[in-house]
Amino acid sequence: MEDAAIIGLYWARDERAITASDEKYGKLCRALSQNILDSREDAEECVNDTWQRAWDTMPPQRPGSLRAYLAKITRNLSIDRWRAKRAEKRGRGMDVLLEELEESLPAAPSAEELTEARETARTIERWLDTLSPADRTAFLRRYWYGQRVDRVAAQAGCSPNSMAKRLGRLRDGLRRALEQEGINL
């Protein structure tokens, strides 16, 4: 089913929207959530919560890209769940990702720094546009979708060691781009 038709089902308050969303994007959302949470059960709960959140937000929202909309909801719910579990006990899944990016990204902005945060996002978007498709894909798979380095390497057809070095160079490039724009790290 086409995305516009699925969105139309949400707007018509037709429960088939959930089934259609799961059929088309369930695998993507489950993989994304499991990469963050490292738990099949928690990932399944987040995906179910994704369908509920989509139901609750459409209408009034009409996403331009249903895939991106659902992935963003899933990612945000998964990170929230990860943070809640981390408060209970320390985990390693997201810790590794955050540690790797720690030196390349500025600290989370306060309310007063919201404008600066938007400029940071625009700078990152411009930087991503300068990358080759292969580098952009590798970076996003690792740091947006939370895939393990060995999986990103396998998809790129290289060794995990060479992918780790490549990701390190990309993080350094991001840090330099942010510094050139005057963004404090």
Side-chain angles (χ1 to χ4, degrees), residues 112-181:
E112 303 83 41
E113 299 170 322
L114 187 55
T115 302
E116 184 177 327
R118 287 185 182 130
E119 184 56 37
T120 300
R122 285 192 288 273
T123 300
I124 292 171
E125 288 171 6
R126 285 191 303 269
W127 175 77
L128 284 168
D129 287 341
T130 68
L131 299 179
S132 69
D135 282 345
R136 184 174 36 253
T137 298
F139 190 85
L140 291 175
R141 282 185 172 155
R142 177 67 179 140
Y143 299 111
W144 175 259
Y145 291 104
Q147 291 182 351
R148 293 187 336 252
V149 173
D150 62 334
R151 186 164 178 216
V152 176
Q155 290 169 336
C158 64
S159 73
N161 189 38
S162 97
M163 179 55 69
K165 290 177 183 176
R166 183 172 168 189
L167 289 168
R169 286 190 299 271
L170 289 169
R171 288 191 308 272
D172 289 343
L174 173 58
R175 184 181 35 73
R176 283 191 304 275
L178 291 169
E179 287 172 347
Q180 285 175 351
E181 292 291 324

Side-chain angles (χ1 to χ4, degrees), residues 7-23:
I7 293 168
L9 290 174
Y10 279 106
W11 275 69
R13 309 313 291 162
D14 187 329
E15 291 181 9
R16 292 179 297 165
I18 304 225
T19 304
S21 295
D22 190 51
E23 288 173 359

Side-chain angles (χ1 to χ4, degrees), residues 24 30 43 61 95 119 153 182:
K24 189 163 185 182
R30 283 179 188 84
Q61 295 189 30
D95 285 339
E119 184 56 37

Side-chain angles (χ1 to χ4, degrees), residues 63-134:
S65 167
L66 184 61
R67 180 181 195 271
Y69 188 75
L70 295 174
K72 184 174 182 179
I73 291 171
T74 301
R75 185 173 189 273
N76 289 341
L77 289 171
S78 298
I79 290 171
D80 289 346
R81 182 174 293 255
W82 174 83
R83 285 180 177 145
K85 285 196 169 278
R86 184 173 180 227
E88 296 169 13
K89 61 181 180 179
R90 288 278 190 196
R92 286 298 298 155
M94 281 297 283
D95 285 339
V96 172
L97 291 175
L98 295 174
E99 286 172 14
E100 288 178 7
L101 281 173
E102 191 173 68
E103 295 177 11
S104 301
L105 294 175
S110 66
E112 303 83 41
E113 299 170 322
L114 187 55
T115 302
E116 184 177 327
R118 287 185 182 130
E119 184 56 37
T120 300
R122 285 192 288 273
T123 300
I124 292 171
E125 288 171 6
R126 285 191 303 269
W127 175 77
L128 284 168
D129 287 341
T130 68
L131 299 179
S132 69

